[in-house]
RNA sequence: GGCGCGUUAUCCAAGAGGCUAGGAGCCGGUCUGCAAAACCGUUAACGUCGGUUCGAAUCCGACACGCGCCUCCA
């Protein structure tokens, strides 16, 4: 069993072999903090979160670095719009980012450096690039000379001639070649600046990620980000780091697919985006995470209420099963002794088989380029076997209890990797119910009053009146659930 | 225009030469005053046309449609 990952650099799934056995260095491009994050950011966050979690689960000592780009044109523009300074904007959206990611249950990276805390290191790298002839100074700016780096565009598989043919690149007179990109920008009046050998200015957008080498070394294992970063951002990162250090920058490049709306990329410019905050008002964080995991991380995923609803239904199925298990295990001591020789029923043996296969199959799925979607299939098969077992087992014997306790532990293990099932099942299920109830224009008191009226009618065998009340509530989207303990309600 | 990706049943979605993926839904059943919920069972598919092969959803070619990158983007 061995982990294989799809490497954008080679276009193939490759056996994952870290530079240093047992250790993994991983860097993911964070966000430019100038606005609230949307669902696309949520996807990137969740995708690399489960990659991080799985690598740790697989026994690696992982150093995970995710940066904040806290100085950039967009931040400055926003600050100007609001009549404030860049720092206020950056700090506000760093905090918002942290809140959103915490809501989504992302594990904290090992390090979360800010670009502005590493200006000195950035200047050093630029100086090395100039010394090696990869960069040049031009009127207070510094540009990277793409023609000086023969491997330029190796990641995206393009070539400079083609790029220029369809070019929408502005020919700046400060640049020698239209594809050259800024490493350092001289500051205009009123802009934030840092002192440098080339005058006051600030780093270009691409060089900020060069600080990865400060934490992970000149060569490290995994670099991740959204597919839209392949060109030019990651291409430029390679040019910068390999140009400065003269050795391979990253061994495995991983890129996640987009979130689409009606089969089109969600983006700010199209205006078809939803912020994480908006979506979390309607769906709970694990539902959103489950939705993201319902497609392979490299494929596009279509965001819609219908798909979110389906994700919620699927997650509900698993949580319901876990709630049933907890209910049975609640009163039991952990170490029930098996005193009599017993054997499992047919369905018990089938469940036992699912349990035995669980981790091997889960690991096989995750080892295959982090195929969480397939891993979820393993969970659902186990849920069905468990439900069958619970339905057909009237009395819990020690061996049955031990089996279902084992099932419960497996879901905790898998949940730890996928970032799911972190909530007590009954609490999660109740939360879903009350969240749905928030969308109904009938108060819980009114509903309760009608339920009492119906109970009275039913007590008097007036089923006609009882059914009328049920239909009335149903028309408002409320389902009544009769059980031996009385009547409860749920939102359709 | 260049480069790349995709097309799997009603919908979402894995799979990458022979092995029941899975979920949601429909339908049938258990339960119920009748229902609902829950649970069980069941259903059906690989864009089109060719080729390779004993065997193709899977490999190759063409075509159609959709999408992405080539400007800031996760």
């Amino acid at each position: 069993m061995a982990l294989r990952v799809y490497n954008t650099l080679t276009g193939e799934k490759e056996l994952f072999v870290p530079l240093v056995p047992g250790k993994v260095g991983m860097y993911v491009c964070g966000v430019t903090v100038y606005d609230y994050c949307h669902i696309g950011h949520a996807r990137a966050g969740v995708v690399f979160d489960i990659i991080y979690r799985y690598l740790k689960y697989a026994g690696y000592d992982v150093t995970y670095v995710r940066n904040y780009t806290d100085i950039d044109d967009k931040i400055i523009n926003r600050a100007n719009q609001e009549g404030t300074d860049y720092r206020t904007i950056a700090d506000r959206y760093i905090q918002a980012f942290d809140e959103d990611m915490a809501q989504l249950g992302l594990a904290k990276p090992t390090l979360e450096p800010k670009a502005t805390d590493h200006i000195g290191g950035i200047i050093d790298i630029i100086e090395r690039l100039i010394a090696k002839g990869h960069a040049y100074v031009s009127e207070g700016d510094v540009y990277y000379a793409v023609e000086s780096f023969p491997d330029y565009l190796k990641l995206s598989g393009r070539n400079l001639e083609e790029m220029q043919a369809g070019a929408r690149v502005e020919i700046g007179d400060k640049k020698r070649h239209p594809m050259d990109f800024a490493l350092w920008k001289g500051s205009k009046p009123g802009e934030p600046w840092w002192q440098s050998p080339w005058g006051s200015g600030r780093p270009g957008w691409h060089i900020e990620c060069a600080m990865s080498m400060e934490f992970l070394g000149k060569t490290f294992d995994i670099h991740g980000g959204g597919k839209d970063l392949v060109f030019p951002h990651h291409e430029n990162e390679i040019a910068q780091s390999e140009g400065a250090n003269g050795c391979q920058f990253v061994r495995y490049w991983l890129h996640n697919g987009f979130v689409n709306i009606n089969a089109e990329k969600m983006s700010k410019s199209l205006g078809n985006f939803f912020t994480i905050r908006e979506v979390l008002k309607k769906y709970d964080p694990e539902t959103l995470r489950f939705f993201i995991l319902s497609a392979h991380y490299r494929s596009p995923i279509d965001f819609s209420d219908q798909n979110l609803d389906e994700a919620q239904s699927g997650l509900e199925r698993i949580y319901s099963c876990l709630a049933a298990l907890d209910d049975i295990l609640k009163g039991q001591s952990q170490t029930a002794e098996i005193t009599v020789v017993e054997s499992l029923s047919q369905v018990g043996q089938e469940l036992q088989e699912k349990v035995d296969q669980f981790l091997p199959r889960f690991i096989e799925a995750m080892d295959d380029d982090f195929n969480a979607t397939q891993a979820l299939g393993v969970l659902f098969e186990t849920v069905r076997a468990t439900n069958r077992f619970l339905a057909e087992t009237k009395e819990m014997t020690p061996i049955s209890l031990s089996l279902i306790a084992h099932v419960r532990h497996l879901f905790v293990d898998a949940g730890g990797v996928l970032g799911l099932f972190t909530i007590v099942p009954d609490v999660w299920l109740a939360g879903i119910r009350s969240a749905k109830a928030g969308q109904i224009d009938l108060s819980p008191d009114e509903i309760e009053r009608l339920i009492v009226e119906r109970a009275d009618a039913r007590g008097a065998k007036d089923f006609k009146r009882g059914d009328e009340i049920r239909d009335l509530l149903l028309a408002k989207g409320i389902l009544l659930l009769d059980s031996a303990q009385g009547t409860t309600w749920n939102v359709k």
Side-chain angles (χ1 to χ4, degrees):
Chain A
M1 213 56 69
L3 175 61
R4 291 162 58 81
V5 302
Y6 181 89
N7 188 353
T8 306
L9 191 59
T10 56
E12 285 173 1
K13 274 188 204 169
E14 297 175 22
L15 192 64
F16 178 73
V17 183
L19 195 61
V20 179
K23 294 193 174 196
V24 175
M26 164 166 156
Y27 183 92
V28 173
C29 294
V31 288
T32 301
V33 282
Y34 74 102
D35 206 347
Y36 291 115
C37 289
H38 58 63
I39 300 304
H41 300 109
R43 185 177 196 194
V46 168
V47 161
F48 288 101
D49 183 58
I50 64 148
I51 288 174
Y52 176 42
R53 286 164 183 262
Y54 186 65
L55 289 169
K56 286 197 289 187
Y57 177 81
Y60 290 110
D61 175 12
V62 186
T63 304
Y64 174 25
V65 181
R66 186 183 60 207
N67 71 301
Y68 297 103
T69 297
D70 62 342
I71 179 67
D72 181 64
D73 290 354
K74 292 189 172 183
I75 299 170
I76 294 169
N77 291 343
R78 179 100 190 202
N80 291 341
Q81 272 169 28
E82 295 191 16
T84 183
D85 60 308
Y86 91 96
R87 198 64 253 164
T88 304
I89 298 295
D91 286 343
R92 182 202 301 161
Y93 291 109
I94 284 173
Q95 195 190 336
F97 176 88
D98 287 348
E99 286 167 5
D100 288 347
M101 296 304 147
Q103 277 279 299
L104 291 174
L106 298 212
K108 272 284 191 189
T110 319
L111 295 161
E112 297 177 275
K114 294 173 192 166
T116 54
D117 287 337
H118 296 273
I119 302 288
I122 287 168
I123 289 172
D124 285 349
I125 298 165
I126 297 174
E127 286 192 298
R128 291 219 304 278
L129 286 170
I130 293 172
K132 289 193 171 189
H134 287 301
Y136 56 92
V137 183
S138 177
E139 299 173 37
D141 296 345
V142 182
Y143 293 96
Y144 191 101
V146 294
E147 287 173 307
S148 74
F149 184 67
D151 277 345
Y152 194 60
L153 305 179
K154 71 176 172 183
L155 183 66
S156 52
R158 304 156 196 263
N159 65 63
L160 276 175
E161 290 73 38
E162 278 169 9
M163 298 287 293
Q164 283 177 84
R168 281 187 273 170
V169 185
E170 280 178 46
I171 314 270
D173 43 343
K174 291 183 184 177
K175 296 187 205 173
R176 290 181 190 164
H177 186 282
M179 298 296 293
D180 288 353
F181 57 93
L183 297 169
W184 187 263
K185 294 180 173 186
S187 58
K188 299 184 192 104
E191 286 184 350
W193 55 273
W194 286 262
Q195 200 49 251
S196 81
W198 322 286
S200 60
R202 59 193 162 88
W205 191 68
H206 304 290
I207 194 70
E208 308 189 4
C209 281
M211 63 183 167
S212 55
M213 70 178 79
E214 288 186 39
F215 312 104
L216 298 170
K218 292 175 180 176
T219 303
F220 57 90
D221 300 297
I222 294 175
H223 193 311
K227 272 196 162 90
D228 45 4
L229 296 181
V230 173
F231 182 87
H233 185 54
H234 290 160
E235 206 68 75
N236 292 353
E237 277 193 64
I238 292 173
Q240 290 163 358
S241 297
E242 299 193 356
N245 297 327
C247 62
Q248 186 178 30
F249 174 42
V250 166
R251 295 156 60 81
Y252 304 94
W253 285 91
L254 273 48
H255 293 98
N256 65 277
F258 301 132
V259 175
N260 291 342
I261 300 279
N262 295 323
E264 280 192 326
K265 181 186 174 184
M266 179 186 289
S267 72
K268 290 233 162 185
S269 47
L270 286 170
N272 60 349
F273 65 92
F274 295 95
T275 64
I276 294 172
R277 298 174 172 227
E278 279 175 276
V279 174
L280 289 185
K281 279 180 192 160
K282 200 167 171 191
Y283 296 97
D284 83 289
E286 286 202 9
T287 295
L288 182 53
R289 183 181 268 264
F290 190 91
F291 162 72
I292 289 167
L293 298 183
S294 72
H296 185 86
Y297 80 89
R298 282 189 282 117
S299 308
I301 189 167
D302 217 57
F303 182 85
S304 68
D305 276 4
Q306 189 196 326
N307 290 346
L308 267 286
D309 287 341
E310 281 192 12
Q312 190 172 72
S313 298
L315 186 57
E316 208 169 341
R317 179 174 165 81
I318 298 176
Y319 261 122
S320 297
C321 177
L322 297 182
L325 291 181
D326 285 353
D327 195 43
I328 292 165
L329 294 168
K330 200 165 44 190
Q332 306 295 329
S333 65
Q334 284 288 28
T335 50
E337 269 183 55
I338 300 171
T339 48
V340 281
V341 179
E342 9 163 359
S343 57
L344 287 163
S345 62
Q346 177 75 28
V347 281
Q349 283 171 30
E350 281 168 22
L351 178 57
Q352 183 70 58
E353 207 169 298
K354 289 289 180 201
V355 163
D356 292 342
Q357 294 170 348
F358 188 96
L359 286 178
R361 293 179 68 204
F362 180 80
I363 290 166
E364 187 184 4
M366 294 302 288
D367 268 351
D368 184 15
D369 197 27
F370 311 104
N371 195 335
T373 312
Q374 194 168 56
L376 287 177
V378 176
L379 302 208
F380 278 113
E381 284 185 40
T382 309
V383 165
R384 190 172 59 215
T386 303
N387 285 336
R388 281 180 59 169
F389 179 69
L390 294 182
E392 298 193 27
T393 307
K394 285 158 200 77
E395 213 169 324
M396 282 295 154
T397 58
I399 195 170
S400 310
L401 285 168
S402 144
L403 180 57
I404 64 173
H406 195 171
V407 171
R408 191 65 180 90
H409 282 297
L410 290 174
F411 274 84
V412 170
D413 278 4
V417 173
L418 302 174
L420 295 172
F421 325 131
T422 59
I423 298 163
V424 174
D426 280 338
V427 173
W428 187 86
L429 292 165
I432 290 300
R433 215 188 90 179
S434 64
K436 286 179 182 169
Q439 298 160 29
I440 296 298
D441 60 339
L442 211 56
S443 79
D445 284 350
E446 282 175 286
I447 296 168
E448 287 303 329
R449 191 182 57 73
L450 286 165
I451 286 174
V452 170
E453 191 187 332
R454 175 165 171 270
D456 291 344
R458 291 176 76 214
K461 300 270 185 221
D462 183 2
F463 293 121
K464 187 163 173 284
R465 177 62 188 149
D467 289 352
E468 271 173 21
I469 294 171
R470 188 172 65 205
D471 292 344
L472 178 85
L473 287 169
L474 189 60
K476 291 185 182 289
I478 291 159
L479 285 170
L480 293 185
L481 313 166
D482 293 333
S483 74
Q485 285 77 39
T487 301
T488 57
W489 55 276
N490 208 339
V491 179
K492 196 177 173 183

